[in-house]
Amino acid sequence: MSGKPRDAAKPAANAAWGGRFAGGPAEIMQRINVSIDFDKRLFAQDIAGSLAHCAMLVRQNILSAEDGDAIARGLAQIRAEIEAGRFPFRAEHEDIHLNIEARLAELIGPAAGRLHTARSRNDQVATDFRLWVRDALDRLERQMQGLQAALIAKAERHADTIMPGFTHLQVAQPVTFGHHLLAYVEMLGRDRSRFGDCRRRLNECPLGAAALAGTSFPIDRHATAAALGFDRPAANSLDAVSDRDFALEFLAAAAICGTHLSRFAEEVVIWTSEPYRFIRLSDAFTTGSSIMPQKRNPDAAELVRAKPGRLLGALTQLLTVMKGLPLAYSKDMQEDKLPVFDAADTLELALAATAGMVGDLEPDAAAMRRVAASGFSTATDLADWLVRVLGLPFREAHRLTGALVKRAETLGLALADLPLAEMQKLEPRMTDAVFAVLTVEKSVASRSSFGGTAPANVAAAAAEAKRRFLREA
């Protein structure tokens, strides 16, 4: 028997490539080329784009009404099959586009081949991908707003709960827990704004740009753009099929949002640790140890803290893919979807976990106040009193307060417990009125400038945050 392989054993040429290829790809070529395992997530967007394209072709008399009806019915059946888990995804068809096209041919015959008139897989995938990212942005927008709502609700309940404010992770000045939580509401507001900007910029439709140069058919790109909810068709056919700025911008915004979530998660880890014990998380968001039965580990927070690594990696990955590509389309761009899919999944999970922790956590007001009163945290209040009451220049008041702190530290006393006589050794004009500003309660109450931590400010800021971010009057 001859050692020559039989023709029947050779892979068949892909029908989408037409008559140019007589043989099929090598097995390793097929493996590297196939994307159906991950781009099948685009099925809903691919079908939506095909339906809009089909309807436009019919209106423009490029496709008959009968063929258009058959295509629409076939696509509806395919969508139902995929949603029910009955669709036969096949690697030999490479991607979601050719899988759907092949199944459509099985269902309605030759009319299926007319659907691809006046379009290419290049503008088809660019459209699908934009639609998918737009849907992801809308989902994430709702999640970020939900997390803001959880933070605002908790901030309202703790507008006057005192905690230490830190710089360099050292006790700095007293603040309120509500004020601290509202800082993250502002961060998420900027995240939502970035996602909104991304959505506005991506909302141009590539469909009809074809492979790279447009088409000679009398298509109506404005009609397909409107049918798919885009603001307008993309203006340049080369840019339409080669642009992935929208994906990069999505990943950049996701990485920044993930960084904000990670900062909050790090604080949760610190706050639940034994030296602090500022907050408690229930069993729902903690785990135990396999060897130490006393342990309660903030694993949800630790995992959220780690997630930005994946988001930053996704951004770097796609930037690296895109940085050297000439116009218009290159197969490199098949690598655009996995990082975006992973980033969207990762951020959705991190947002859900963070919202759950915010709702679950309960602060220990006594523990937070105790630390807030340590470390001479009202020293700035003393300096401000010296300026306001004795008329000292702030730099002189700062120097004098530092000397008073040093004296209190030497005596092992808090500033509020330092005898007036000791203070008067350094500044004879001091009176016992100074003690009124040295409690943490007085300190936070005095910080009433716009954006400050005074409880009345925090309550008002929470109400304003509802109006700005939750659309509540």
Side-chain angles (χ1 to χ4, degrees):
M1 183 176 177
S2 171
K4 186 177 179 180
R6 293 176 295 172
D7 290 344
K10 293 180 180 178
N14 191 315
W17 301 346
R20 176 67 178 83
F21 289 80
E27 187 273 337
I28 192 64
M29 173 61 191
Q30 190 170 25
R31 282 173 55 197
I32 197 172
N33 194 47
V34 168
S35 60
I36 188 60
D37 286 346
F38 57 86
D39 68 18
K40 61 186 176 184
R41 292 182 67 160
L42 298 173
F43 80 89
Q45 292 78 20
D46 194 72
I47 290 171
S50 290
L51 287 169
H53 185 66
C54 176
M56 180 274 296
L57 292 177
V58 171
R59 283 195 303 272
Q60 298 299 108
N61 296 313
I62 299 169
L63 186 67
S64 71
E66 293 77 14
D67 283 346
D69 288 342
I71 289 169
R73 287 195 304 273
L75 290 172
Q77 180 174 335
I78 290 169
R79 180 168 53 205
E81 289 177 355
I82 296 175
E83 289 173 349
R86 298 194 310 268
F87 186 86
F89 292 109
R90 297 189 178 101
E92 61 265 29
H93 296 315
E94 292 185 26
D95 57 31
I96 187 61
H97 324 295
L98 294 184
N99 266 268
I100 288 175
E101 184 176 324
R103 179 60 177 149
L104 187 62
E106 292 173 358
L107 293 173
I108 69 171
R114 296 190 174 94
L115 174 60
H116 209 55
T117 304
R119 76 173 182 184
S120 161
R121 275 195 297 175
N122 292 357
D123 61 334
Q124 187 179 0
V125 68
T127 303
D128 294 355
F129 198 21
R130 282 179 186 255
L131 289 170
W132 193 94
V133 171
R134 192 176 71 184
D135 290 342
L137 286 166
D138 291 344
R139 290 193 306 273
L140 289 162
E141 153 72 19
R142 291 190 293 271
Q143 278 196 283
M144 286 186 280
Q145 187 180 55
L147 176 53
Q148 285 181 305
L151 287 162
I152 292 168
K154 192 73 72 172
E156 285 182 313
R157 290 198 293 274
H158 296 284
D160 60 355
T161 301
I162 293 171
M163 71 173 293
F166 295 94
T167 60
H168 308 278
L169 206 54
Q170 306 296 310
V171 174
Q173 292 177 285
V175 296
T176 69
F177 190 52
H179 190 59
H180 195 109
L181 294 177
L182 289 178
Y184 287 97
V185 173
E186 295 298 322
M187 294 180 211
L188 287 161
R190 294 192 294 275
D191 291 327
R192 289 175 62 189
S193 178
R194 273 183 284 270
F195 274 65
D197 288 343
C198 177
R199 194 190 194 283
R200 282 186 289 275
R201 270 187 286 277
L202 76 73
N203 212 33
E204 297 182 351
C205 184
L207 199 57
L212 75 161
T215 178
S216 60
F217 289 94
I219 62 172
D220 185 350
R221 291 191 61 210
H222 288 85
T224 49
L228 293 168
F230 288 105
D231 295 330
R232 64 191 67 83
N236 182 282
S237 60
L238 284 164
D239 181 56
V241 298
S242 63
D243 168 45
R244 292 298 183 269
D245 289 2
F246 65 94
L248 291 167
E249 189 170 1
F250 170 78
L251 292 174
I256 295 171
C257 181
T259 300
H260 291 152
L261 300 182
S262 182
R263 294 182 72 180
F264 179 76
E266 167 67 2
E267 296 203 297
V268 170
V269 172
I270 292 170
W271 293 343
T272 55
S273 67
E274 192 58 48
Y276 288 85
R277 291 298 177 194
F278 287 175
I279 65 169
R280 179 179 175 84
L281 290 171
S282 75
D283 294 352
F285 289 93
T286 56
T287 65
S289 165
S290 63
I291 190 172
M292 294 170 285
Q294 82 281 9
K295 293 294 296 297
R296 182 189 291 274
N297 300 321
D299 283 7
E302 291 171 3
L303 289 166
V304 169
R305 182 174 60 182
K307 294 300 183 185
R310 293 174 67 161
L311 300 173
L312 291 165
L315 174 59
T316 302
Q317 181 180 345
L318 187 53
L319 282 167
T320 304
V321 168
M322 296 302 299
K323 69 176 181 60
L325 296 186
L327 296 180
Y329 181 83
S330 296
K331 193 70 170 185
D332 311 49
M333 292 164 71
Q334 183 168 289
E335 293 295 312
D336 58 0
K337 295 166 203 67
L338 273 172
V340 171
F341 292 162
D342 183 69
D345 292 346
T346 296
L347 187 55
E348 286 187 50
L349 182 58
L351 283 164
T354 304
M357 286 189 290
V358 169
D360 184 70
L361 67 84
E362 287 299 330
D364 185 330
M368 289 197 294
R369 191 201 180 282
R370 183 171 58 252
V371 178
S374 68
F376 307 103
S377 65
T378 58
T380 303
D381 299 276
L382 173 55
D384 289 345
W385 184 90
L386 291 169
V387 170
R388 188 169 53 249
V389 176
L390 300 187
L392 295 181
F394 182 79
R395 285 302 172 201
E396 174 58 22
H398 185 284
R399 183 203 63 76
L400 177 57
T401 299
L404 290 167
V405 166
K406 184 176 181 180
R407 182 58 180 160
E409 190 173 40
T410 300
L411 297 174
L413 299 172
L415 268 179
D417 297 326
L418 188 65
L420 179 61
E422 290 291 336
M423 296 183 181
Q424 290 174 333
K425 289 178 182 178
L426 295 174
E427 173 48 71
R429 292 179 295 164
M430 294 188 71
T431 70
D432 58 7
V434 71
F435 294 105
V437 303
L438 296 183
T439 67
V440 291
E441 288 78 12
K442 289 288 187 179
S443 177
V444 296
S446 72
R447 305 294 168 183
S448 57
S449 59
F450 182 80
T453 191
N457 280 32
V458 176
E464 176 64 9
K466 282 184 177 180
R467 188 192 67 78
R468 289 166 60 204
F469 299 121
L470 310 182
R471 306 294 189 268
E472 294 184 17

